[in-house]
Amino acid sequence: MPQVSHSPVSTPGWRAWAIWSVGVAAYVLAITNRTSLGAVGVEAADRFQADASTLALFAVVQLAVYGGMQIPVGVLLDRYGSRPIITAGMLLMAAGQLTMALSPSIGIAIVARILLGAGDAAVFPAVLRLVATWFPAQRGPVMVQFTGIIGQAGQLIALVPVAALLHATTWSITFGSIAGLGLLFTILVWLIVRNNPAESGPDVSVNTDTGVVRVVTSAIDTGVGIRAAWAHPGTRLAFWSHFTTPFAGTVFVLLWGMPFLTAGEGLTTAHAAGIISIYVVAGMILGPIIGDLSRRLPNHRSLALVLPAVGLQMAAWIAVIALPGPAPDWLLWVLAIALATGGPASMIAFDHARTHNPVHRLSTATGVTNAGGFIAALIAVFVIGLLLDAQGAGTPDTYTLDAFRVAFLTLIPLWVLGVVFILIERKRTRIRMGLDPERRR
């Protein structure tokens, strides 16, 4: 049955921009929370006396909870809207960082990362829903890109102020301060954010054969949900696009980039922070460009934008891994810029999810999509840690460049797997849309 739903207001006013700004600021803090451990990975290994596998476990647990929560969060968003979900997410992250600040052992620190992953999972899909409900559809691709771009500033906050605060004070003060910010944003979000414009009507489904109009409030109410979202090849294309594009950058920033650059490549901490900053800034610059190209090339985004971004990342990583000896600065800059294409390219996946799903199923499809990149990152982070340990290079004192080279080969089969499924689901989506003929059996 074809679905027709009300669009958001045609011209967003000051209130829409205020609500979006608070949501994006909350997302910046969520990114800071997410990457705070990666910026101080060596210090965390020393504090908890953790080998590479254990250090990877912190990130794996966080990513596993994040990925596992995406679909439940999507269903809850479709039922309750963005305001309560973002509020709950900020509160969970504040609790997680407070637990991390006071954690005396690895076990308590893992509990902290579970809370952090659960809270982080709620924020980005909820902000995307604010974009969908408060802004006209034609602004969607650009607004999604801007949301992602501004959010990446959280990586810079984790990389510079958080690391500097840790070196100037203590572990407890640093992570306790982040927890305090989370509590402040919990209150701010509840006071300012609203789910929908007051003038917007309910989402409806229309049976074009009988003319019956029915109000729907969630995917659960219409008997669809996860299976209906996944049944559409456009959602599967979105999932595999998000699986393939951002995970290498996530691995680099979330945990293994700083140890690789310092202990592996022999850079100073400040020099390594500069390389990672290039990654963040390049992503913020490339975002509007890729967003505009995505808007101009709606039927060619996978071939023109997603797959070239994957190819560029793979080529840069192989060049760094294959080069004998430490990589020159210029090649590390190229690597950072190549990895930076993954974030903006991954936002195209959310355009697929929005295009191929009705409004009342939007957040469920977004959750399915968002899980993709973090499943890939989870696998990569953990396997890299296992391979470092297997080579006897599991602690900051024993990290070597050769060990990192072998461990980072993990990325290549994940890229290949993702590219294969992107090509398969792209073809199926084009057939579903009538752009390509049916395959002959």
Side-chain angles (χ1 to χ4, degrees), residues 25-278:
Y27 179 47
V28 170
L29 184 56
I31 294 288
T32 301
N33 281 298
R34 182 190 305 170
T35 55
S36 57
L37 191 63
V40 296
V42 175
E43 291 85 351
D46 290 336
R47 175 180 173 85
F48 297 108
Q49 297 298 299
D51 59 18
S53 296
T54 304
L55 191 61
L57 186 61
F58 287 144
V60 166
V61 166
Q62 179 183 340
L63 289 172
V65 173
Y66 184 103
M69 288 292 294
Q70 284 305 302
I71 294 174
V73 163
V75 172
L76 290 171
L77 275 170
D78 282 333
R79 180 174 288 276
Y80 297 111
S82 297
R83 183 192 185 203
I85 302 303
I86 300 178
T87 302
M90 301 309 296
L91 191 59
L92 282 171
M93 284 189 287
Q97 292 292 37
L98 182 60
T99 304
M100 180 62 78
L102 303 175
S103 59
S105 64
I106 290 174
I108 300 299
I110 288 176
V111 172
R113 303 312 285 182
I114 291 173
L115 292 171
L116 202 64
D120 186 13
V123 178
F124 184 58
V127 177
L128 290 189
R129 188 171 183 87
L130 291 176
V131 170
T133 54
W134 282 92
F135 290 86
Q138 63 269 26
R139 293 198 186 188
V142 175
M143 291 301 298
V144 168
Q145 285 289 349
F146 273 122
T147 300
I149 292 163
I150 297 171
Q152 298 318 302
Q155 297 179 14
L156 292 176
I157 295 172
L159 192 64
V160 182
V162 170
L165 183 61
L166 177 61
H167 296 151
T169 58
T170 66
W171 181 275
S172 296
I173 290 175
T174 300
F175 286 92
S177 299
I178 301 174
L181 279 176
L183 186 58
L184 175 64
F185 268 85
T186 300
I187 299 169
L188 192 63
V189 167
W190 185 257
L191 291 176
I192 296 178
V193 171
R194 293 295 181 269
N195 290 337
N196 301 291
E199 64 272 19
S200 65
D203 295 330
V204 298
S205 63
V206 181
N207 188 318
T208 53
D209 295 325
T210 64
V212 174
V213 178
R214 187 161 65 93
V215 174
V216 294
T217 56
S218 74
I220 294 175
D221 295 334
T222 57
V224 286
I226 299 168
R227 285 185 299 175
W230 186 255
H232 198 296
T235 304
R236 299 195 298 270
L237 175 61
F239 174 88
W240 287 108
S241 297
H242 201 266
F243 179 96
T244 313
T245 45
F247 76 89
T250 302
V251 168
F252 191 70
V253 173
L254 189 67
L255 189 62
W256 292 122
M258 188 65 77
F260 166 69
L261 293 172
T262 53
E265 292 287 344
L267 304 183
T268 64
T269 301
H271 195 169
I275 298 293
I276 297 177
S277 297
I278 290 173

Side-chain angles (χ1 to χ4, degrees), residues 74 112 177 220 300 333 350 431:
S177 299
I220 294 175
H300 304 283
W333 296 341
F350 298 108
I431 292 172

Side-chain angles (χ1 to χ4, degrees), residues 216-420:
V216 294
T217 56
S218 74
I220 294 175
D221 295 334
T222 57
V224 286
I226 299 168
R227 285 185 299 175
W230 186 255
H232 198 296
T235 304
R236 299 195 298 270
L237 175 61
F239 174 88
W240 287 108
S241 297
H242 201 266
F243 179 96
T244 313
T245 45
F247 76 89
T250 302
V251 168
F252 191 70
V253 173
L254 189 67
L255 189 62
W256 292 122
M258 188 65 77
F260 166 69
L261 293 172
T262 53
E265 292 287 344
L267 304 183
T268 64
T269 301
H271 195 169
I275 298 293
I276 297 177
S277 297
I278 290 173
Y279 161 82
V280 178
V281 173
M284 297 173 75
I285 293 172
L286 289 169
I289 298 172
I290 292 178
D292 187 58
L293 290 173
S294 175
R295 181 181 62 83
R296 293 172 183 270
L297 303 168
N299 296 325
H300 304 283
R301 292 176 289 193
S302 296
L303 293 183
L305 298 172
V306 172
L307 294 181
V310 174
L312 188 60
Q313 292 179 70
M314 191 183 302
W317 258 126
I318 291 174
V320 170
I321 291 172
L323 191 70
D329 259 9
W330 67 266
L331 185 55
L332 294 176
W333 296 341
V334 169
L335 174 65
I337 295 170
L339 292 178
T341 64
S346 73
M347 294 297 156
I348 294 171
F350 298 108
D351 290 336
H352 290 313
R354 186 179 62 252
T355 300
H356 299 293
N357 288 275
V359 172
H360 60 270
R361 201 170 68 213
L362 175 62
S363 293
T364 301
T366 298
V368 171
T369 301
N370 205 22
F374 291 91
I375 291 171
L378 182 156
I379 296 169
V381 165
F382 189 56
V383 175
I384 288 170
L386 288 178
L387 289 176
L388 287 173
D389 279 346
Q391 297 172 85
T395 64
D397 294 333
T398 57
Y399 290 152
T400 66
L401 181 55
D402 286 338
F404 274 115
R405 282 179 175 142
V406 173
F408 280 129
L409 290 174
T410 302
L411 306 176
I412 295 175
L414 291 172
W415 275 318
V416 172
L417 176 69
V419 167
V420 169

